[in-house]
Amino acid sequence: MIYDLNIVLAYGITFGIVIMTIVYTFVRYIYSKDIFYISYCLTQFFSLVFIVSSSKLFNIPHLIEEFSLLLATLSSLVFAINFYEGKFFPKLETFKELVINTIILNIIILTAFYHYMLFEYLPYTIIYAILFISVAFNLKDGFKANFAYVIGWSIFCFVVFIFDFKTYYEHQGFMDLVLVAFAIEAILFTLSLAYKYNSLQKQNKSIEDMLLQQSRLAKSGEMIENITHQFRQPLNNISYILINFKKRFENKKLDSEYFEKKLTQANEQLDFLSKTIDDFKEFYAPSKKKEYFSIKEVIKNVSTILSADLKKRNIQVFIDFKVSEEIKIFGIKNELSQVLLALISNANDALKDTENPMIKIEVDSTSAEVIIKIIDNAGGIKKRDLDKIFEPYFTTKENGSGIGLYLTKVIIRDSFNGKIEVANNKEGAVFSLFIEKAI
């Protein structure tokens, strides 16, 4: 059988567009695990089987064509429901709203009916109708991914209706109009998906920011306890200085040399208290400003915050700079503090039953990266947990939230364009931060 070259070319282009859509959505599904990706992938796959069967270019049984249409229809229903944004049924508070929404629903039904009469392909009509409802009944919620999809189809159907394009198209003996539908569907879905993806990215970023702040607040109890320990000794020292002042004054032995000596000691204690307040304040400040800053300064701040708790457990902390102590990186300073605080706190918890507990903070660099390692001698992490340790809500602690290490990964990735890795050595766990070196 000889086929018209234009028809074969049209089918070939359509097959190519649909295959690209199938591959694209399948890859997206692998990375995101969102059901609307795989359901749309299946819709397009069975649609491809349908058009290949109906094209008569190949000797395929008619039963395959009908079966693929059924599966494409079911997949399209699953996709449309999962891609739907907003409420299915609007809240009606007045008679006016009832009338308006009834009119809108009738318009949607009529438009969807015309869409089916135009292309005679049920799966795409189902997607169009359900997403049209999503847009029409949730306009108050603003622009959504469905909007571009629905508007695109509606404009095309309206133009075809006004100019009676289908009649002209059929009289000219052109290819099946459903091929045009497949091409349009793929283009509109790609546009909608791009918007949906950006929207989900922003939503995920908001959730991560919220989790970061919640993580800080969750540590408030520990922080208050650390502040109490940090403040008690300096305040006791200032109290003793004042008592000595009083005794010397009462005994008329308060000479200027002694006065200056004790005043200097008191000012040192006050400076320590002020520095401690600044360290805690910096940790909680929700700054998003990227800047060049010293790693040594961040390590000192975190050490100050945790020093009381580490001393209470007799944990020795070693800081080893294998490069210049003045080395700097570019990013959000208080977020690196959050990362180091989480890693050192985790090591602190893991060391509770360890003899001669030790934490080592090692700073090294290559030509391109700064490497910060947090090393402990707590025995290491179980092998089965190593691959899951940075997953959200995974925890090995009885009362753990499972977001601390997940957030460290997010912070290092987003705020520093770096990465975090974990491994075991002979004595314990090694968490390594790889951060791009500041120029």
Side-chain angles (χ1 to χ4, degrees), residues 6 30 68 89 98 107 135 159 182 191 241 244 255 280 291 294-295 306 356 362 400 423:
N6 291 330
I30 290 173
S68 61
F89 302 103
L98 175 63
I107 292 172
V135 171
V159 170
F182 283 121
L191 292 173
I241 291 169
N244 288 332
D255 56 74
F280 280 93
E291 58 184 340
S294 164
I295 294 176
L306 291 174
N356 303 316
E362 186 179 288

Side-chain angles (χ1 to χ4, degrees), residues 48-85:
L48 180 63
V49 174
F50 172 80
I51 56 174
V52 169
S53 301
S54 62
S55 68
K56 309 305 179 188
L57 295 174
F58 307 96
N59 188 23
I60 299 174
H62 183 69
L63 181 63
I64 298 294
E65 181 181 336
E66 295 299 318
F67 190 61
S68 61
L69 177 61
L70 174 63
L71 293 177
T73 302
L74 294 174
S75 300
S76 69
L77 185 62
V78 174
F79 162 73
I81 291 172
N82 282 279
F83 202 71
Y84 192 98
E85 293 177 296

Side-chain angles (χ1 to χ4, degrees), residues 257-275:
E257 183 180 347
Y258 181 85
F259 179 84
E260 289 296 333
K261 177 184 174 183
K262 290 298 177 182
L263 184 62
T264 300
Q265 291 177 356
N267 282 330
E268 287 174 354
Q269 298 301 314
L270 290 171
D271 287 342
F272 176 81
L273 291 172
S274 177
K275 177 69 168 56

